[in-house]
Each structure stands twice: as structure tokens, then as C-alpha cells.
Amino acid sequence: MTRIKRGCIARRRRTKIRLFASSFRGAHSRLTRTITQQKIRALFSAYRDRGRQKRYFRRLWITRINAAIRGNLVYYSYSIFIHNLYKKQLLLNRKILAQIAILNRNCLSMISTEIIK
């Protein structure tokens, strides 16, 4: 029986992995074993940080809204502001409120005064 060379399939698999890691530094882009380890690590970090990114942005929006409310001479906190929003059934999410707080503070003060009434 003749010898079968299987280099083509293995090479194709390795080059596919190498293309993924082409921007990595040092041995992480040259050695096959370390490339596979770094690929696993990179994909895991990307998966983990997608959840963290949502969390961090929500924290940022809350901080911006709180700072804008306290700076507008309306003397109450973020939690009371959100509670009053829900009581008045104004459905504005935190992302939109943070944009309003940065770009148009007068609009945010109008919203807060309408909620108090």
C-alpha cells in the first residue's frame, strides 16, 4: 500500500490559525502551539468583555445623569429622578438621558421640573 501524505489538510488548518494571530507579537504569531493557546485566550477575553462593556457603559451613563442632575440646582439624587420618571411613565432609557445631559442640559432641567410637578 502506498504512503498517503496528509500535509495539505494540516497545513490548511495551521495557516487558518496563523491568519487569526497574524497581528500578535513574538512567538504568539509564529509558533503553532502558542498561536492556538493565544487564540483560545483571545476569544475567551472577547466573550467575557462583551458583557463587561455593557456593564461599564451603564455605569458611565448613570454617572453622567447623576452629575447633570446635581449640577442643575435640582436638589435630588439619581435614584429619585429615575423613580419619578417611572411614576410619570416617561420611558427614556439611560443612554438617551446621558446624551441629553451632555448635549442639552436645558432639556434635562425641563424634564426634571416636569417630573417634580
Side-chain angles (χ1 to χ4, degrees):
M1 192 183 234
T2 58
R3 180 178 165 217
I4 299 171
K5 297 180 182 177
R6 53 178 290 276
C8 175
I9 296 165
R11 194 180 316 111
R12 194 179 309 144
R13 178 173 45 85
R14 287 189 200 109
T15 52
K16 196 162 77 171
I17 294 170
R18 280 214 169 89
L19 286 173
F20 179 84
S22 62
S23 62
F24 295 173
R25 290 184 67 185
H28 298 312
S29 66
R30 290 189 191 93
L31 304 177
T32 305
R33 190 176 294 177
T34 53
I35 287 173
T36 55
Q37 290 171 356
Q38 288 304 307
K39 180 181 177 184
I40 291 167
R41 185 176 179 142
L43 292 174
F44 175 75
S45 296
Y47 169 73
R48 180 194 62 214
D49 292 337
R50 277 196 295 275
R52 280 189 185 172
Q53 186 183 27
K54 294 174 181 67
R55 210 174 310 146
Y56 289 157
F57 270 107
R58 184 182 166 97
R59 281 176 60 186
L60 177 68
W61 297 331
I62 289 171
T63 306
R64 285 177 175 172
I65 295 166
N66 195 15
I69 287 170
R70 290 173 188 263
N72 264 349
L73 302 176
V74 180
Y75 296 107
Y76 58 89
S77 65
Y78 165 81
S79 60
I80 297 169
F81 177 70
I82 293 294
H83 177 69
N84 290 337
L85 268 177
Y86 278 101
K87 275 199 323 194
K88 293 284 185 174
Q89 294 180 342
L90 284 172
L91 299 175
L92 293 171
N93 61 10
R94 287 161 183 83
K95 181 180 178 181
I96 300 300
L97 284 171
Q99 287 290 327
I100 292 171
I102 291 171
L103 300 174
N104 195 354
R105 290 210 174 194
N106 295 333
C107 184
L108 188 71
S109 63
M110 284 172 45
I111 291 170
S112 59
T113 53
E114 286 296 319
I115 291 171
I116 292 172
K117 291 179 183 177

